Each structure stands twice: as structure tokens, then as C-alpha cells.
Amino acid sequence: MRILLLGGTTEASQMAKTLAAEGLDAVFSYAGRTAKPVAQPLRTRIGGFGGVEGLTTYLSAENITHVIDATHPFAAGMSRNAHAACRRANVPLIRLERPAWAPAEGDRWTSLPSIEDVPDALPDTPSRIFLAIGKQQIGLFAAKPQHHYLLRLVDQPEAGLPLPDTAVVIARGPFDMAGDLALMREHRITHVVAKNSGGQGARAKLEAARTLGLPVLMAQRPVLPSGDVASAAEDVLHWLAHEADRGV
């Protein structure tokens, strides 16, 4: 058994610790979007594979027998490539996926089909937006330049931002409710924009928004190919054992 773990999330790091504790042969793969990724207890590679063709070649060259996709719920391109490459190479694939968030009593959510739909849903009058979506889709919000945007990023931006009025906070999660409450009060936030990533590491901003009575514009997850899905590292171990019993 030789496992490729596609990572970049808290769940991926937990999965890496579990695989290492079990003494399993595994490679942890980072996409390479952050300057200082978290160190892992597994052999680590950083960077893309070169699409479906490149990943298929990698699976064969490295004798990969199983793939665990623990990428971010919004990293749809990687998940789709992994699904296609594993089908080509006849390699079993499981997705480790954290449950999506659901609104609770007191939440003021507007659910939107995708992150691309969010800018049009923002108010026209100048507002103060906590744009809690990472750095990949910031450019979408150039369509609403009248707002002040608070950005929380893992790394300092290397180039100029496409938004004329921004404040940038460099921080890596997990975050807590008290910290996010203080952050929103300090920046006088009026609206929160979020992706429905799920999990605990970034939930605090939703709890803070509820406490402050702020509206949240919530982009829903992209649709991914169907297949085996687990919600915990232990479930993945059971799946690995089952696949091994099948002689895959």
C-alpha cells in the first residue's frame, strides 16, 4: 500500500498524523499556494501535477495504490482532476470532507450558489465588508469598489490588490470567537462574506457575526464528482483496510 494524500486543510494534517501513527507509506501533497505550509509527519511534495495527465503519470510512476483527497471543499479543480486521474489509473479514491455549516437561530445568512454570485448581492451603498474567502477570488469584488474590504490572508500579498480600499490582516487559523468579535468591532464591519467551508477552524467568524447581528453572504460549495466520502480520519482507515482486503 502506498498512499497519496492531497492536503492543505486542517483535516489533511490530522489525516497525515493518523497515517504516520499507523506506520503507513504515504506522501503528502501541497498545492503550493502558501509560502510556509505546515510541516507534516509524512514525506511531502509541493506544487501542481500538471492536470489530469500529469497526475495520472505520477500515480503510475510512484506506484500509488490509494488516494485520499483532503483538499479544501472549494478546491474543485484539484478534486475533479483527482477523480479523473484515479479512474484512468484504476486507483481507489476517497474524499475526506468536513460537513458544511448550517445556519443557527439568530443567523442572518443569504445563501448564494457560488462565490461568483456574491458581488452582485452586496449592497450598492458603501459598506465595510469582511471578505473572509482567502486570496484566490478577491478580484471578483473589483466590481464593487465603493466598499471597504477587510482581508484576512495567510501570506502578505506579493502584488497590489485589485480592490482600492482594503485593510489586510495576516493570520493563520484556527480562529476563536473572541478574536473575531474584536476584529469585526475594530474594523466596524457591516457585512461578512464567507465560503461554506465547514469545519471548526473558521467557524468563529460566523459566531461573531451572529453576536453582532451582521448579515452573512454565504457561498455554497461547488458540486464535485460522486464517490467514496468520509468525514473523519478513522473512517478513511476503515476504507483503506477494506480496499486492502479486496486486494486492490
Side-chain angles (χ1 to χ4, degrees):
M1 182 181 292
R2 190 147 198 261
I3 301 161
L4 173 63
L5 172 57
L6 303 173
T9 60
T10 301
E11 290 75 18
S13 295
Q14 293 168 347
M15 189 75 246
K17 292 177 182 177
T18 300
L19 295 175
E22 293 290 325
L24 295 172
D25 182 12
V27 179
F28 191 105
S29 178
Y30 274 117
R33 289 178 178 167
T34 59
K36 295 180 180 179
V38 176
Q40 300 296 337
L42 302 173
R43 185 166 71 87
T44 302
R45 67 173 301 280
I46 298 176
F49 292 95
V52 175
E53 196 67 41
L55 180 52
T56 304
T57 299
Y58 178 88
L59 296 177
S60 176
E62 296 294 325
N63 298 313
I64 299 298
T65 62
H66 300 78
V67 176
I68 303 168
D69 177 8
T71 57
H72 194 276
F74 281 78
M78 185 67 251
S79 292
R80 289 165 183 156
N81 286 351
H83 183 268
C86 286
R87 289 193 66 178
R88 285 192 190 182
N90 196 29
V91 172
L93 167 70
I94 190 168
R95 177 161 180 79
L96 177 57
E97 184 176 271
R98 53 198 180 197
W101 292 316
E105 184 177 355
D107 283 329
R108 297 175 58 197
W109 288 17
T110 298
S111 181
L112 297 154
S114 72
I115 191 65
E116 288 79 11
D117 295 302
V118 175
D120 284 344
L122 288 174
D124 292 326
T125 55
S127 304
R128 301 182 67 83
I129 315 295
F130 182 15
L131 197 56
I133 62 169
K135 65 181 180 181
Q136 299 300 316
Q137 288 114 352
I138 289 174
L140 294 171
F141 294 83
K144 289 289 182 77
Q146 68 270 37
H147 300 310
H148 171 81
Y149 293 97
L150 170 63
L151 310 177
R152 182 162 61 190
L153 306 175
V154 174
D155 300 312
Q156 191 70 39
E158 296 180 358
L161 295 169
L163 307 175
D165 185 6
T166 60
V168 178
V169 173
I170 305 301
R172 187 191 297 268
F175 304 103
D176 60 54
M177 197 269 207
D180 277 6
L181 196 60
L183 181 70
M184 292 185 198
R185 282 174 171 158
E186 177 187 354
H187 290 270
R188 307 191 312 279
I189 296 302
T190 62
H191 298 73
V192 176
V193 172
K195 297 175 178 177
N196 198 334
S197 304
Q200 297 301 318
R203 179 190 288 274
K205 61 178 175 282
L206 305 179
E207 297 169 347
R210 182 188 310 132
T211 299
L212 296 172
L214 299 181
V216 175
L217 282 70
M218 182 68 73
Q220 297 306 311
R221 297 176 177 185
V223 177
L224 300 178
S226 60
D228 291 328
V229 178
S231 59
E234 294 74 17
D235 298 330
V236 177
L237 288 183
H238 288 311
W239 176 83
L240 288 170
H242 175 71
E243 291 296 325
D245 289 343
R246 290 177 57 196
V248 176

